[in-house]
């Protein structure tokens, strides 16, 4: 059974710091991994999507890496800003023949606070 | 439409009443998913649609929950005889499902259901 774990559960940093959020998954048979952002009381906004054949994706100040063999992904946020404060969720899309509904398995999220 | 639209955005209902939640996916997205996010919990998969059929209903918590999709587009999640533990944010997502599961998800803003 695929399990996704995110560490840390919460993080507070001063503005301007670079930071790394971690995601690990137990089964490497995935199609892709997606990072989302969720603001309080809101839905999910997709940040980055990494296919299983890729090693990283970048968008602005965000960089996500994927090491499928070790079951790990990191989300790197450069020069953090107060507006980055939110919960960040990592999710893997199941692959393989048995569970091919394409559903996502989510981690519990990391709640980030960036202090001005 | 440009995004996934969910309605209502908020719903307060009395225990024992039935509720219907609506999801309008991105045009052309054949895959549609319902997830539930309870307070302090991660996202829980409920049901997956491919077109109008639901090959995976494994996440529906009880027979009080049902969902349908018509015309390969709009989906309705129905909860009968609501209970307080049904209070949660119900999120809908859609995805292209062409030649595998390499495409990302797009989520709606969710319906916040409160059962009093």
């Amino acid at each position: 059974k695929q399990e996704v774990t995110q560490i840390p559960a919460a993080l507070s940093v001063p503005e301007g710091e670079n930071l790394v959020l971690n995601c690990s998954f137990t089964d490497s048979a995935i199609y892709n991994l997606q990072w989302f952002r969720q603001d309080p009381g809101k839905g999910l906004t997709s940040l980055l999507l990494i296919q299983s054949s890729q090693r990283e994706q970048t968008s602005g100040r965000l960089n996500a890496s994927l090491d499928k063999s070790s079951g790990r992904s990191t989300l790197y946020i450069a020069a953090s800003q107060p507006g980055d404060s939110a919960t960040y969720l990592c999710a893997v899309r199941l692959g393989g023949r048995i569970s091919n509904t394409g559903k996502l398995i989510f981690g519990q999220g990391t709640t980030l606070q960036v202090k001005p | 439409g440009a995004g996934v639209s969910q309605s209502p955005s908020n719903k307060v209902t009395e225990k024992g009443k039935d509720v219907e939640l609506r999801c309008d996916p991105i045009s052309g997205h054949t895959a549609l998913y319902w997830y539930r996010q309870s307070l302090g919990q991660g996202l829980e998969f409920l049901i997956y649609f491919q077109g109008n059929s639901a090959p995976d209903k494994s996440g529906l918590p009880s027979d009080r929950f049902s969902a349908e999709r018509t015309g390969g587009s709009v989906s309705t999640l129905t909860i009968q005889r609501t209970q307080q533990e049904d209070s949660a944010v119900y999120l809908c997502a859609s995805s292209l499902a062409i030649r595998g599961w390499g495409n990302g998800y797009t989520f709606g803003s969710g319906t916040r259901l409160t059962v009093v």
Side-chain angles (χ1 to χ4, degrees):
Chain A
K1 177 186 173 185
Q2 178 72 272
E3 293 183 357
V4 180
T5 304
Q6 290 187 247
I7 295 173
L11 182 62
S12 180
V13 300
E15 181 177 5
E17 263 200 19
N18 302 325
L19 57 101
V20 174
L21 308 182
N22 296 292
C23 172
S24 61
F25 47 96
T26 55
D27 187 344
S28 62
I30 64 170
Y31 267 97
N32 56 44
L33 183 145
Q34 199 164 356
W35 282 93
F36 294 90
R37 168 185 173 141
Q38 186 175 33
D39 292 284
K42 305 289 187 182
L44 276 66
T45 300
S46 179
L47 297 174
L48 290 164
L49 170 68
I50 312 177
Q51 303 297 344
S52 62
S53 59
Q54 296 175 325
R55 299 225 20 120
E56 66 176 342
Q57 283 287 327
T58 298
S59 176
R61 293 182 295 109
L62 305 180
N63 175 276
S65 69
L66 174 65
D67 184 342
K68 207 173 80 161
S69 61
S70 67
R72 296 185 182 188
S73 176
T74 61
L75 178 67
Y76 175 82
I77 303 177
S80 58
Q81 303 171 357
D84 295 331
S85 299
T87 296
Y88 291 81
L89 294 159
C90 159
V92 297
R93 195 159 199 180
L94 299 181
R97 289 178 178 273
I98 297 176
S99 280
N100 61 353
T101 63
K103 67 185 179 187
L104 291 180
I105 306 298
F106 283 85
Q108 294 286 328
T110 294
T111 299
L112 172 66
Q113 182 184 34
V114 181
K115 297 179 179 179
Chain B
V4 178
S5 178
Q6 290 188 248
S7 61
S9 54
N10 280 285
K11 176 72 176 180
V12 179
T13 189
E14 292 180 353
K15 179 180 172 181
K17 294 282 181 69
D18 298 351
V19 293
E20 284 190 354
L21 312 180
R22 175 187 167 107
C23 173
D24 200 341
I26 291 175
S27 178
H29 279 194
T30 55
L32 185 147
Y33 302 81
W34 285 96
Y35 285 80
R36 177 169 75 172
Q37 188 175 34
S38 303
L39 187 64
Q41 302 294 314
L43 273 83
E44 173 189 8
F45 168 79
L46 297 179
I47 187 170
Y48 153 65
F49 285 93
Q50 178 59 38
N52 291 335
S53 63
D56 189 349
K57 307 178 183 180
S58 61
L60 294 179
S62 75
D63 59 6
R64 297 186 294 104
F65 287 71
S66 64
E68 66 174 13
R69 189 179 185 192
T70 56
S73 180
V74 173
S75 176
T76 302
L77 177 68
T78 300
I79 309 173
Q80 296 178 310
R81 305 181 303 281
T82 51
Q83 303 294 313
Q84 287 186 329
E85 61 262 28
D86 299 334
S87 297
V89 176
Y90 290 82
L91 292 161
C92 174
S94 70
S95 177
L96 278 172
I98 298 174
R99 293 186 292 278
W101 299 106
N103 299 288
Y105 271 37
T106 300
F107 275 87
S109 298
T111 293
R112 181 175 298 277
L113 175 66
T114 304
V115 182
V116 297

